Amino acid sequence: MARMTLAVHPQLYSIHSFTPDSRIDPKVFEQQMFFIGKTKDELSVVAPTDLALDSLEVESDWRCLEVLGPLGFSMTGILASVSGTLANSKISIFAISTFDTDYILVKKDKLELAIQALKKTNYQIIHY
């Protein structure tokens, strides 16, 4: 696999849990970056931590690593490689994929450890 570059976002993010029939606060859509996932069982929202949402549960203090893309759909193993590297260092992740790329969230207190582990396995890390 070619050497991949990951960009560290400066913001802190929170992961919110809602019931599947919850209405999404319109302020979410004003954020520069957010993610929404819905299934029959849940509604999850990832948004900057400074946006307070009335969720059932929230996990705060996540930092975001972006796999710089765009990544073609024919490319395989990218998320597996990054997540495997972090798993070997005992770092939990919250992964999100979009049409163009992947995002890996790690707890802020594990960010430096994550960066070190990724650099050791030949990833290039830049900061936005």
Side-chain angles (χ1 to χ4, degrees), residues 4 12 32 41-43 45 52-53 58 61 67-68 70 73-74 83 90 97 99 108 119:
M4 298 294 301
L12 279 175
Q32 182 176 0
D41 298 318
E42 67 172 314
L43 172 67
V45 175
L53 298 175
V58 64
D61 295 330
V67 180
L68 294 186
F73 284 103
S74 64
S83 64
K90 307 285 189 250
S97 294
F99 191 90
K108 84 173 178 183
K119 283 182 175 179

Side-chain angles (χ1 to χ4, degrees), residues 22-40:
S22 295
R23 294 177 85 54
I24 297 171
D25 187 325
K27 292 178 190 162
V28 169
F29 301 103
E30 298 170 9
Q31 304 308 303
Q32 182 176 0
M33 190 167 92
F34 62 88
F35 297 95
I36 299 170
K38 183 178 178 182
T39 68
K40 66 179 183 59

Side-chain angles (χ1 to χ4, degrees), residues 2 47 79 92 111:
L79 189 56
S92 296
L111 179 64

Side-chain angles (χ1 to χ4, degrees), residues 62-97:
W62 293 84
R63 293 290 303 272
C64 180
L65 296 162
E66 175 183 351
V67 180
L68 294 186
L71 306 174
F73 284 103
S74 64
M75 296 178 75
T76 61
I78 294 167
L79 189 56
S81 177
V82 173
S83 64
T85 296
L86 297 176
N88 288 338
S89 294
K90 307 285 189 250
I91 300 170
S92 296
I93 67 165
F94 186 89
I96 302 168
S97 294

Side-chain angles (χ1 to χ4, degrees), residues 3 16 19-20 33-34 46 48 59 64 75 96 103 105 109:
R3 185 172 186 191
H16 297 268
T19 61
M33 190 167 92
F34 62 88
V46 177
E59 275 283 327
C64 180
M75 296 178 75
I96 302 168
Y103 297 84
L105 279 68
D109 64 342

